[in-house]
Amino acid sequence: MEPALIGTRLASAAIGPLLKKLLVSDGPGAGLTGSSTIRLSSLVSFRGEKRTLTEKDVRKLAATLVGRSTGGPGETPFPADETEAVTDTLAATLLALGDLDMDDVQAVRLGHGALARRLRAAAPSPDGLSGDSVLYLESMTEWACLHILEFFTQRSTFIARSLVEQTRNQAELLAKVDAVLTRTPRADGPDTAFEHRYLAHLAKRHGRLTIYGIDLHHSPDQWPLDLAYLSLEAAGEAPEPMATDEHPAPHQREQAVRADLALARHDKVLLRGLAGSGKTTLVQWLTVSAATEARAEDMTYLKGRIPFVLPLRTLTRHGERLPAPDRFLPAAGCPLTPPDGWADRVLTAGRGVILVDGIDEIPEAERGRAREWLRGLLDTYEGNRWLVTSRPTAVRDDWLAADGFTELTLSPMTRTGVTTFVRRWHRAAGPDAEPYAQPLLDALRTTEHVAQLATNPLMCGLICALHRDRRGFLPRGRKALYEAALSMLLARRDRERDMGAPSGIALDEAPQIQLIQRLAYWLTLNGRTQLDRTRAESIVREAVPAVQEAAPHDPGLVFRHLLHRSGLLREPTEDTVDFVHRTFQDYLAAKALVDHWDIGVLVRHAADDQWEDVIRMAVGHARPRECAEILRELLAAVDSAEDRRDQLRILMVAATALESATELAPEVREEIMARTAELIPPRSDDEARQLALGGSPVLRLLGGPGELGDEDAYHSVVAASHITADAALPYLARFAAHPSLRIRAQLVHAWNRFEPGPYAEEVIARLDPSELRYFVPTDEHVDALLRLGLRPDLLEVDVSVSDEGVARLLTACDPVALRLRRAGSRPSLSVLSGLTRLEHLTLGLRADARWSTADLPAGAPLGLLQLPSCWPEDGVRALGRLPYLTSLNLWKAPYLTADTWRGLAALSAVRTLWIDDGDLVDCPEGTSLESVRTVRLTHEEEPARSRIDAIFPSLDLLELVRLETFEEVQRALSR
């Protein structure tokens, strides 16, 4: 019977009085003098003090309704032998009115359809009825609810109570609007006027970058940030969210994101990066993107945000307390004076972007204080975006994890990134420089030691400048590169451009280095990267008399010459001085330490992350006997260190410093290599990552697949896969055919740390594919797989792959097992319907995603399905169209409702079910899943076995998994 026909019959004058018997009438008014709410349970006539009907009467009423709705000509809506069961179910549904926790106003707001669904969910399920009977009851309940709501609206108290509730809602809405207005500055207010000035100041101050080595006389030494900025990637370890018992995955998976979009995905980020890797440039880019309307399209997430740039080296140069919000601007050197309380209002409204730059640039003893300062701000101000930058080893892993920070590490520049940087640099340097671009790119491809240096923007800039300055020739090695850079910056540029003496004096390269290295020595010894201008000048004044070439000149004039003409120093504010980059400070501090032979200072700081580069460079500066003594003292420091991490760190500094030594006694080199072999291979993932910080030289220390057991081989591969240089590829390729699935999985998951094409050719193409799931993070990786003719059976496709990329990949591979992550509220899944071999499918969709089981491949032997965190629009029952589905994993799905349980009960082929103990709460009494033989139940409290046995009467195996932490979840998933 059509629902419209049922409605026509129920709308007759005879049906209204029948349903009205279910309800009681109240007197006029809004009901304010009684209870604050009038529940439906007090309005029904079959319970409470005003009871006029018994449950038996309600059944009679239901029988009358059924009879009248089915009487007359036309087809019968359900089998005649089910009339009694239909009547009982309808009566139970009507009785459920007394169990709903809502009032009449709320019921009317719901509407008759939603009210009917609530009644059906609260009533016992119609077990054993035919599909026609179930459809009849659904239509019948909706028409009954339509009449019931009509009665509610006719009650004398309804209109009065509706008006009272409407008034209350309006008052709440006005209060919320007032709160929003309080947090949002008026367009014509002093806050907005100041913000316009402040953002313009930030855009101008941070909108340009230094371009190393360009002639200051004929060309600017800076160029626009929007032309200079090169987007880098950042990667971080994240728990693996989707694994199955049939196809385990590594405990952690590397997730890559564009560094400037990290704050779009995470509201709190701790970003690690080596010296010169682009951390401060990223801070500038985020600042300018937030401060200007002409921001890049993908940076619009910063629109309306107010950036606060907080370089810690500036905030703590006097050892003072870190500032409160009202002192952010003056502490960071901003000359503007904001309205009183402005910063507090911005942060309270959650409109801020707090950019804390350089945890590594303050002494280690002060970092704990900085963390407490940051925690105080986080506890006070919610809704803002936070970025903290640091060198990799300055703070331990998970240093801010408890505060909700995601830890990411800037990846080295890719080949494509280096090419882009070189071309931009030469274009910005002018027409005379452009002819040198292609020869330099050729040199980077063919000269290994130069390519190894060109891994970050700073080194790329230096190489570009030196290549142009030397007419197409480059120095060999790191030390030679810095010596050439200093020669170019300190002496040759002004002399060779016939610039005379613009500062009034002329000093050769050597005396300038002697003076400037005093500043570097003081900064490094005191754990600083910035000092007061007056102190800097006093250090130079004290040193000038001992430097023969500088002694005749006024010390103040010498200081100003170094500050303005050396190219190594700068004034970030009017009263402070620092180096243009930390690397120059480290290089010159190392030279000063060797000149003064302060070897004890070096050794005392051997485990200090701020001194790693200083020690390596000191070995490069030292003469053979001095070099040997430094390295022997480092070995002694390894012996005296109690912490294994300190031992590993010091030993890696010594081992990686070997390549800086120009001449070294063979026995010293052999001893270091032997001692290093004692700590290699690493014993854990943490040690492997520590080891990787030593860079490419570490690769020569790691053993090969034939020399190592599975555990040692795995940790060696982890270490090598974190050395993201081309030199790591041949080493990793040696493990491609390894029988250990764990090792081969690590090789796959390291793919997105390297250039997709070269890595695919050297590593991915050689992998033994047995039981191996191929993780595909981007369209570039799709292209590489298909270009090489690889067609994996097991695939994991990340959310960053485009719909077109997914379609190309799945069409070509037709996988047997697939994990597919998709973004958006309406993800495109239609490509799945064409798969013919798919046996296992794991879907990762947003919680608000809308999808249908019609996209799933009914023609494939799909036996195992893990549902995402949202139900299909056509309901769980629709999974019955998958004829081979025997295992259903609902651990990621929302909690099961009564309707979902009824849908599951209809899936007679499902034998294995994975659920959470919270799913049992809404399982209707009497619901039975006869076909299920195995249940894997995650739980916090011990579940009632009798309840489980009642729901799963055919149960052969119940596996209880107690999960207290997310890590335990992952271990359970990957068993």
Side-chain angles (χ1 to χ4, degrees):
M1 180 182 290
E2 292 293 330
L5 182 57
I6 296 176
T8 301
R9 293 172 178 173
L10 287 180
S12 68
I15 298 298
L18 286 175
L19 290 172
K20 195 170 184 178
K21 292 179 181 181
L22 292 171
L23 308 168
V24 298
S25 301
D26 282 336
L32 300 179
T33 56
S35 174
S36 59
T37 57
I38 301 177
R39 297 295 176 191
L40 294 189
S41 57
S42 67
L43 299 179
V44 298
S45 60
F46 45 81
R47 65 170 59 174
E49 296 179 359
K50 299 179 181 181
R51 178 175 176 179
T52 59
L53 294 181
T54 65
E55 292 189 11
K56 184 176 180 181
D57 293 328
V58 175
R59 192 193 183 285
K60 290 180 180 179
L61 187 150
T64 303
L65 289 172
V66 170
R68 294 189 179 183
S69 67
T70 59
E75 61 178 324
T76 56
F78 52 80
D81 60 353
E82 294 186 4
T83 302
E84 184 175 351
V86 167
T87 301
D88 290 341
T89 302
L90 179 60
T93 303
L94 295 175
L95 287 169
L97 269 173
D99 298 325
L100 297 184
D101 186 23
M102 66 176 71
D103 58 33
D104 55 345
V105 176
Q106 292 170 330
V108 172
R109 187 186 302 132
L110 272 180
H112 71 283
L115 179 61
R117 287 193 292 274
R118 290 285 186 95
L119 283 177
R120 290 196 296 270
S125 60
D127 291 335
L129 293 180
S130 65
D132 288 341
S133 295
V134 172
L135 291 174
Y136 166 80
L137 284 168
E138 290 178 355
S139 298
M140 185 70 179
T141 306
E142 288 198 16
W143 283 108
C145 286
L146 187 63
H147 281 273
I148 291 169
L149 295 185
E150 175 70 12
F151 297 148
F152 285 162
T153 61
Q154 293 173 357
R155 295 176 66 250
S156 59
T157 60
F158 178 80
I159 295 177
R161 291 192 64 249
S162 296
L163 291 173
V164 170
E165 184 164 334
Q166 185 179 53
T167 301
R168 289 171 178 166
N169 289 341
Q170 288 177 340
E172 291 178 6
L173 179 61
L174 288 172
K176 292 176 181 178
V177 170
D178 288 342
V180 171
L181 291 175
T182 300
R183 298 173 64 181
T184 306
R186 289 175 46 188
D188 59 346
D191 281 9
T192 301
F194 172 76
E195 285 174 14
H196 287 317
R197 293 182 61 214
Y198 175 61
L199 294 177
H201 164 77
L202 291 179
K204 186 174 182 180
R205 178 173 178 178
H206 296 282
R208 302 187 73 80
L209 280 181
T210 297
I211 176 169
Y212 289 97
I214 291 182
D215 179 9
L216 299 178
H217 184 66
H218 296 106
S219 305
D221 64 339
Q222 294 182 325
W223 49 335
L225 181 64
D226 57 352
L227 294 178
Y229 181 72
L230 181 68
S231 180
L232 298 175
E233 279 199 341
E237 300 289 347
E240 169 59 53
M242 292 189 293
T244 63
D245 48 340
E246 286 80 2
H247 295 287
H251 173 57
Q252 292 189 318
R253 182 175 67 83
E254 187 85 353
Q255 291 186 329
V257 64
R258 241 180 61 186
D260 52 7
L261 298 183
L263 286 180
R265 181 180 295 186
H266 311 286
D267 57 358
K268 295 188 279 288
V269 173
L270 171 60
L271 183 70
R272 301 176 190 265
L274 297 170
S277 60
K279 300 185 297 296
T280 300
T281 302
L282 174 64
V283 167
Q284 287 184 249
W285 177 250
L286 294 173
T287 301
V288 172
S289 296
T292 59
E293 289 296 326
R295 62 182 64 86
E297 182 179 352
D298 45 10
M299 300 300 292
T300 53
Y301 75 93
L302 292 174
K303 184 176 182 180
R305 296 274 180 178
I306 305 298
F308 294 92
V309 183
L310 304 175
L312 287 181
R313 60 184 175 276
T314 300
L315 304 185
T316 62
R317 65 179 182 271
H318 298 297
E320 63 266 53
R321 293 183 60 184
L322 290 161
D326 62 342
R327 294 287 304 160
F328 277 179
L329 269 59
C334 176
L336 302 178
T337 302
D340 288 344
W342 168 77
D344 177 72
R345 288 190 291 275
V346 168
L347 297 177
T348 300
R351 296 194 298 126
V353 181
I354 299 87
L355 305 168
V356 182
D357 190 23
I359 286 289
D360 58 287
E361 295 182 348
I362 60 175
E364 188 171 358
E366 296 181 14
R367 293 173 193 170
R369 181 164 59 92
R371 181 170 56 183
E372 294 308 313
W373 165 74
L374 188 60
R375 283 177 172 168
L377 294 173
L378 290 165
D379 291 342
T380 307
Y381 301 107
E382 297 181 355
N384 299 284
R385 310 263 175 176
W386 307 77
L387 176 72
V388 179
T389 72
S390 171
R391 284 195 183 185
T393 57
V395 292
R396 60 173 173 78
D397 290 347
D398 302 328
W399 192 65
L400 290 173
D403 303 294
F405 276 75
T406 298
E407 295 197 6
L408 300 173
T409 300
L410 278 176
S411 302
M413 294 170 69
T414 63
R415 289 181 182 178
T416 302
V418 170
T419 299
T420 302
F421 183 97
V422 169
R423 294 197 183 282
R424 287 183 183 179
W425 190 98
H426 286 84
R427 185 169 62 250
D432 291 343
E434 289 195 60
Y436 292 100
Q438 191 57 49
L440 177 56
L441 290 173
D442 294 339
L444 289 170
R445 279 191 291 269
T446 58
T447 311
E448 183 180 359
H449 78 276
V450 177
Q452 289 175 351
L453 292 173
T455 57
N456 63 55
L458 171 69
M459 299 307 295
C460 277
L462 283 175
I463 289 169
C464 288
L466 286 169
H467 185 262
R468 179 205 173 187
D469 190 67
R470 293 183 161 213
R471 303 293 191 270
F473 295 94
L474 286 171
R476 293 183 59 85
R478 189 179 186 189
K479 181 173 180 287
L481 177 65
Y482 280 105
E483 288 175 347
L486 290 176
S487 176
M488 177 184 67
L489 293 171
L490 293 173
R492 292 181 55 198
R493 179 194 294 131
D494 284 357
R495 184 174 66 248
E496 294 177 9
R497 309 304 183 197
D498 294 326
M499 294 183 64
S503 62
I505 63 173
L507 293 175
D508 286 337
E509 177 184 337
Q512 291 186 79
I513 289 177
Q514 286 179 311
L515 294 170
I516 295 175
Q517 72 185 33
R518 300 288 187 94
L519 299 176
Y521 179 83
W522 187 94
L523 286 167
T524 301
L525 200 59
N526 289 276
R528 306 286 179 185
T529 59
Q530 193 173 91
L531 73 166
D532 290 344
R533 192 182 195 280
T534 54
R535 181 177 291 277
E537 187 170 356
S538 69
I539 292 171
V540 172
R541 283 182 178 274
E542 291 175 5
V544 163
V547 178
Q548 184 174 349
E549 190 175 334
H553 300 288
D554 176 70
L557 188 61
V558 171
F559 174 74
R560 287 192 293 276
H561 170 81
L562 298 176
L563 188 59
H564 299 304
R565 298 306 310 161
S566 70
L568 293 177
L569 302 175
R570 64 174 183 172
E571 292 179 282
T573 65
E574 197 172 298
D575 60 345
T576 59
V577 174
D578 65 4
F579 281 82
V580 292
H581 200 277
R582 173 72 176 272
T583 309
F584 288 121
Q585 176 185 318
D586 290 346
Y587 177 85
L588 291 173
K591 187 176 185 306
L593 283 160
V594 171
D595 287 350
H596 298 157
W597 197 233
D598 288 337
I599 187 172
V601 175
L602 277 175
V603 175
R604 283 198 301 273
H605 293 88
D608 188 335
D609 62 274
Q610 289 191 332
W611 285 72
E612 289 178 359
D613 270 349
V614 177
I615 294 171
R616 293 189 188 101
M617 292 179 181
V619 170
H621 284 296
R623 291 170 293 188
R625 182 178 295 179
E626 297 168 339
C627 181
E629 186 172 347
I630 292 173
L631 293 172
R632 286 195 180 100
E633 290 293 332
L634 288 175
L635 291 178
V638 172
D639 293 334
S640 61
E642 298 180 359
D643 185 85
R644 180 174 168 81
R645 290 188 58 172
D646 286 345
Q647 292 177 345
L648 186 62
R649 174 179 287 181
I650 298 170
L651 194 53
M652 282 305 100
V653 170
T656 54
L658 288 177
E659 66 177 12
S660 299
T662 54
E663 184 180 340
L664 181 63
E667 62 271 17
V668 176
R669 185 181 299 273
E670 290 169 5
E671 183 178 359
I672 290 177
M673 297 303 291
R675 294 291 299 276
T676 303
E678 295 174 6
L679 296 178
I680 293 177
R683 302 176 188 173
S684 66
D685 285 1
D686 181 57
E687 285 191 7
R689 287 190 289 269
Q690 287 283 330
L691 193 64
L693 296 175
S696 298
V698 170
L699 296 169
R700 295 193 291 271
L701 309 176
L702 297 173
E707 310 165 49
L708 303 169
D710 284 0
E711 190 70 14
D712 289 341
Y714 169 74
H715 288 124
S716 296
V717 167
V718 170
S721 67
H722 280 80
I723 302 172
T724 48
D726 289 344
L729 298 188
Y731 178 82
L732 294 172
R734 295 166 62 190
F735 291 84
H738 201 285
S740 168
L741 177 60
R742 188 185 185 200
I743 291 173
R744 288 179 285 122
Q746 175 65 26
L747 292 173
V748 170
H749 286 274
W751 190 4
N752 64 340
R753 300 188 199 126
F754 297 85
E755 280 283 304
Y759 191 92
E761 293 169 6
E762 296 198 40
V763 181
I764 299 297
R766 302 181 185 182
L767 285 171
D768 174 1
S770 304
E771 300 183 85
L772 181 63
R773 180 182 287 108
Y774 287 69
F775 173 57
V776 185
T778 70
D779 281 8
E780 287 183 277
H781 296 78
V782 172
D783 293 339
L785 274 178
L786 299 184
R787 185 174 62 252
L788 293 172
L790 300 178
R791 303 294 185 264
D793 288 337
L794 313 182
L795 279 175
E796 179 178 351
V797 184
D798 202 24
V799 69
S800 299
V801 180
S802 68
D803 289 340
E804 189 270 337
V806 171
R808 288 193 298 121
L809 180 64
L810 297 189
T811 301
C813 295
D814 195 9
V816 173
L818 173 66
R819 293 182 192 167
L820 180 65
R821 296 181 179 88
R822 296 284 80 198
S825 58
R826 283 194 171 275
S828 175
L829 302 177
S830 58
V831 67
L832 295 176
S833 62
L835 301 181
T836 64
R837 301 195 302 149
L838 192 64
E839 298 176 6
H840 302 157
L841 174 63
T842 299
L843 284 177
L845 308 177
R846 282 179 10 184
D848 63 344
R850 301 178 67 181
W851 65 286
S852 169
T853 61
D855 289 327
L856 302 182
L862 182 58
L864 185 152
L865 175 64
Q866 179 171 326
L867 291 185
S869 55
C870 53
W871 296 116
E873 288 186 295
D874 48 354
V876 172
R877 187 188 300 267
L879 293 173
R881 62 187 295 275
L882 302 174
Y884 301 96
L885 185 64
T886 58
S887 182
L888 197 55
N889 188 333
L890 304 180
W891 189 80
K892 287 285 185 182
Y895 280 128
L896 275 62
T897 63
D899 281 344
T900 312
W901 275 108
R902 284 189 280 270
L904 288 176
L907 302 178
S908 59
V910 172
R911 299 289 183 267
T912 301
L913 191 65
W914 190 349
I915 57 175
D916 186 86
D917 61 353
D919 290 318
L920 302 175
V921 173
D922 290 323
C923 182
E925 290 294 333
T927 298
S928 175
L929 276 66
E930 299 280 351
S931 65
V932 174
R933 301 288 191 271
T934 301
V935 171
R936 301 183 71 184
L937 184 71
T938 60
H939 69 99
E940 293 183 4
E941 305 270 334
E942 192 73 25
R945 183 59 192 252
S946 59
R947 174 75 165 146
I948 295 172
D949 289 340
I951 300 172
F952 306 105
S954 305
L955 195 63
D956 294 330
L957 174 64
L958 173 64
E959 182 177 354
L960 299 178
V961 185
R962 187 174 183 85
L963 301 175
E964 298 176 351
T965 65
F966 195 80
E967 286 75 13
E968 288 182 66
V969 174
Q970 300 314 307
R971 285 196 292 272
L973 281 166
S974 59
R975 268 206 306 273

